[in-house]
Amino acid sequence: MRRGGLALVALLIVFSAAVLPILVLADSVSPSEARLLRDEVREMFYHAFDGYMEHAFPLDELRPLTCKGEDTLGGYALTLIDSLDMLALLGDHERFAAAVEWVGKNVRFDIDKTVSVFETTIRILGGLLSAHLIASDYATGMRIPSYDNELLHLSEDLAKRLLPAFDTPTGIPYGSVNLLRGVDENESKITSTAGGGTLTLEFGVLSRLTNNTIFEQVTKNAVRGIWARKSRINLVGAHINVFTGEWTQKDAGIGTSIDSFYEYLLKAYLLFGDEEYLFMFQEAYKAAMRYLYHDPWYVEVNMNSAVTVWPLFNSLQAFWPGLQVLAGDIDPAIRTHAAFFSVWKKYGFTPEGFNLASFVVQNGQKSYPLRPELIESTYWLFKATRNPRYLDAGRDMVTSIQYGAHCPCGYCHIADVETHKQDDHMESFFLAETVKYLWLLFDLAVGPDNIVENGPYKYIFSTEGHILPASPQISLAIEHCSYLGAYCRADQQQGYGNADISLDQRETNDTEHLSWDRSIPNPKQHDSFSTSGFIKGFCPGLTHWQKFGLSYTEEQGQTQETDSQSQTQTRSVFVITKPTPKQSVISHQNDHHEIEELSQDSEKLSSSLDNADAQAIDQENTQQDED
C-alpha cells in the first residue's frame, strides 16, 4: 500500500516523548547485577530445557502451558538438537555428552516426512554440525571421549536427503522436500528469498568436513540464482518461482522472507573468505541503505521502482543492527536499535508488525513468538561499544520474558503484546537463540567464560544462533588452492586439497594475508578499500565478473586502481577489519542526546517517504526513457 498524507510528525513526537525518556532515566546495570542476570538467564534456559525433556522429549517442541509435546518439523527431537551447543556454551559436560550420545544412537532421517528445507537446514543440520565440531575437538574443552563422528554422519545423510530440492532450472531450491521420496509431485514452485539464500553456512561447513564440494556448490548456485535476478537497483523481492525465476512478490525489505539472505552473504564471506559473497553483500547493502532506510527505520519498497509499499517495522528486521556491527557500520545500527527497542519498551515485547504511519501495532501481527533478533543485536552492539545502555536493554528484556512469558513448564508465546495473553507454544529457537544471546550478553559484561569469547577460534553465528568456528579445517580448507592462484585456473576440483599449481604462481600473492583475523570490523573506517587485501589468490587483471562468470554491474563512483603489477582492483565502500580498542568503542558521551534527538530525526520519516517515492518514480521514468 502507498503511504497517505498522514501527519506523522506529531505522532512521532508524542510517541517518543512517552517512551524514549525511559531509556535515559533507568539505572544502569552494575557488574554485580550483570552477574545475577547471567545466572537468571541460565535458570531460564534450564527451566525451559528441563520442561521440554520431562514433558515433550523426544517430540519436536514443548507446549509449555499444558506441559505436553508436539511434532512440528520432522519428529526428530528438534528442541534437543537445537539446544546442543547451548549446553556446551554453559559448560554442562554431563548433559551435553548425554544429549550427543542419544542423538547419535536414536535420530534417523530415512522417514516419510516432508520438511522445510530452510528450517531443517538452520535448526537440525546447523545444530548437528555445531555440536559435532565441539564434541570432536579437544581445544573446545568439551570433547566427548567416546564420540565417533556420529553427528557428522547424520549431517551428511540429512544433507543428501535435502539435495533433490536443488534440482531446479534456476538452482534455487524448492521450499520443501520429502526426506524419503524427494520432492513431492505437487510441491509449490514458489519459495522465499531467505528460504533459498540462507543455506550456505551449514552446507559449506559440511563440504569442508566431508571433502565433498557438492553441498557447497548447490547452495552457492542458489545464491547466484537469486542475485542474478536482482533488479537494476540491486534489490531482491520476497518470493520467487524456482522454475521460471520470476518474482512473484516484488516487495523488497530487510525483514520477513528476505532477512537472512543479507545475513548469509556477509557471514559466508567471514567464515569462508569467499570474495564473491563479499561483493554481493556490498552491492546489496548499499542498495538497502539507499532505498529502504529512512533514518532510523526501514520500509518495504517495490524492488524495481523503490516506491514505498509498506511502511512497517516487523520483528525480523531487528537482526539488522547486529549485522551492521559485523559490517562495520555502527552509527546507523545504534540509531535503529534505539528505535526498535522503543517499541519493546512500549509494549514489553516487539510485535510481529508495527505500523510506522500510525505508530500502532499492525492488525493481525500482534504476537511475540519469543523471537531473538532484537536481543541478538543488543549483544553485538554491546560487544562493539561496551556501552551499558545495552545491558540495561537486556535487563528489560529479561524482565519482560520472566513476567510475561513464564509458563509452568517453559516459556510461552505472547499472543497479543497489548494484553500479554499467552499462547501454548515454545519454538526451539527460544533455547537456540533467545536465551543464548541474553546469556552471552551478561557473561560478556561479567568477564566472559565461554568458548565463543575465550575459545580457540573465532566463531560465526548461524541465523539459528549455532556457533561455527573459523578453524583451519573450515576457513582454510581451500586455502592453498585460492592462495596459489586457483581463480586463474579453468578446471574444477571435485574435492578440497587437490590443487596442482606450480610454486612460481605463489609470487602473485602476499603471505601476510595468512594472518588476517576475521573479527569485529572497524566501525570508523568507511573509506574505499581493495578486497584483494583480504582474499588469497587474487588473479592479476581479472575483474569480479571475469573471475566468477557473472555479469555484475558496478555502481558509478567506484574507482579502479592499477598497482605496479597492473592488477585491477575494484574499490568499494565498506571495510571489514579488526578494530583497535579505541576504534571499536564509539564515543557515547552524548548518548542521551542521541536518544532525545531520535524523535527529531524520526520526524524526517514523513517527508522522506514522500520524497523517496517521488524520486523513485522520477528515476524509473528516466530509466524507461533512456531504455
Side-chain angles (χ1 to χ4, degrees), residues 156 160 163 206-208 210-218 478 481 489-500:
E156 186 173 16
K160 287 180 178 178
L163 284 180
L206 182 61
S207 276
R208 284 156 166 73
T210 61
N211 199 40
N212 184 348
T213 60
I214 187 61
F215 305 115
E216 184 169 4
Q217 287 172 354
V218 296
I478 54 173
C481 296
R489 296 170 56 82
D491 60 317
Q492 298 291 325
Q493 303 292 338
Q494 180 61 33
Y496 298 117
N498 300 316
D500 181 18

Side-chain angles (χ1 to χ4, degrees), residues 458-474:
K458 299 295 182 182
Y459 284 87
I460 295 297
F461 289 84
S462 75
T463 196
E464 186 72 6
H466 294 305
I467 55 175
L468 302 172
S471 64
Q473 186 180 18
I474 293 173

Side-chain angles (χ1 to χ4, degrees), residues 162-411:
L162 298 178
L163 284 180
F166 294 87
D167 187 14
T168 66
T170 63
I172 306 169
Y174 287 96
S176 299
V177 65
N178 187 284
L179 295 176
L180 197 62
R181 297 182 282 104
V183 178
D184 293 333
E185 181 179 353
N186 297 319
E187 177 61 36
S188 172
K189 294 181 175 61
I190 309 301
T191 194
S192 70
T193 298
T198 312
L199 311 167
T200 50
L201 292 188
E202 293 84 359
F203 276 71
V205 167
L206 182 61
S207 276
R208 284 156 166 73
L209 296 179
T210 61
N211 199 40
N212 184 348
T213 60
I214 187 61
F215 305 115
E216 184 169 4
Q217 287 172 354
V218 296
T219 53
K220 190 169 188 178
N221 286 339
V223 173
R224 287 170 168 169
I226 294 172
W227 184 248
R229 291 163 176 84
K230 62 181 173 56
S231 69
R232 282 177 291 184
I233 56 176
N234 288 340
L235 293 177
V236 294
H239 290 91
I240 193 169
N241 186 305
V242 300
F243 262 62
T244 66
E246 178 185 1
W247 292 101
T248 58
Q249 184 181 355
K250 298 181 180 181
D251 298 350
I254 62 167
T256 305
S257 301
I258 303 176
D259 51 355
S260 49
F261 171 75
Y262 289 103
E263 179 184 2
Y264 270 36
L265 289 180
L266 178 59
K267 289 184 175 180
Y269 166 69
L270 293 174
L271 187 59
F272 304 135
D274 190 326
E275 187 183 7
E276 183 179 358
Y277 289 118
L278 175 62
F279 178 77
M280 287 188 280
F281 174 77
Q282 290 174 325
E283 298 301 296
Y285 184 80
K286 285 187 290 185
M289 295 302 289
R290 179 176 179 181
Y291 299 110
L292 309 179
Y293 183 47
H294 294 272
D295 189 2
W297 307 95
Y298 290 81
V299 298
E300 294 184 10
V301 305
N302 179 277
M303 62 179 290
N304 295 310
S305 66
V307 172
T308 302
V309 295
W310 201 242
L312 188 74
F313 159 62
N314 67 70
S315 58
L316 290 175
Q317 293 178 356
F319 87 101
W320 189 259
L323 186 67
Q324 288 180 308
V325 171
L326 292 178
D329 204 9
I330 292 185
D331 288 337
I334 292 171
R335 304 182 62 75
T336 294
H337 179 276
F340 290 175
F341 182 57
S342 68
V343 179
W344 181 291
K345 291 287 289 186
K346 182 176 182 179
Y347 298 105
F349 304 98
T350 47
E352 289 291 79
F354 182 76
N355 194 298
L356 298 177
S358 58
F359 265 75
V360 297
V361 177
Q362 182 70 19
N363 287 332
Q365 300 186 34
K366 295 186 176 184
S367 66
Y368 170 68
L370 303 176
R371 290 201 185 278
E373 284 77 14
L374 186 60
I375 299 170
E376 175 186 359
S377 289
T378 304
Y379 162 70
W380 281 111
L381 277 165
F382 178 71
K383 187 169 184 176
T385 68
R386 294 303 196 272
N387 191 297
R389 169 199 301 179
Y390 301 108
L391 296 179
D392 300 343
R395 175 180 57 190
D396 288 341
M397 293 167 179
V398 169
T399 300
S400 293
I401 295 172
Q402 286 285 60
Y403 284 92
H406 190 279
C407 287
C409 302
Y411 289 86

Side-chain angles (χ1 to χ4, degrees), residues 547-574:
K547 285 186 292 181
F548 302 124
L550 297 176
S551 181
Y552 293 137
T553 301
E554 297 177 3
E555 290 282 341
Q556 290 184 357
Q558 287 183 331
T559 61
Q560 291 184 331
E561 295 183 0
T562 305
D563 59 16
S564 58
Q565 297 179 351
S566 299
Q567 176 173 323
T568 302
Q569 302 176 350
T570 301
R571 310 288 289 187
S572 303
V573 297
F574 281 90

Side-chain angles (χ1 to χ4, degrees), residues 110 143 214 255 333 363 384 430 445 484 493 507 521 534 549-550 585 588:
D110 53 344
R143 187 182 184 278
I214 187 61
N363 287 332
F430 177 72
L484 297 178
Q493 303 292 338
E507 296 177 1
F534 298 94
L550 297 176
V585 179
H588 293 289

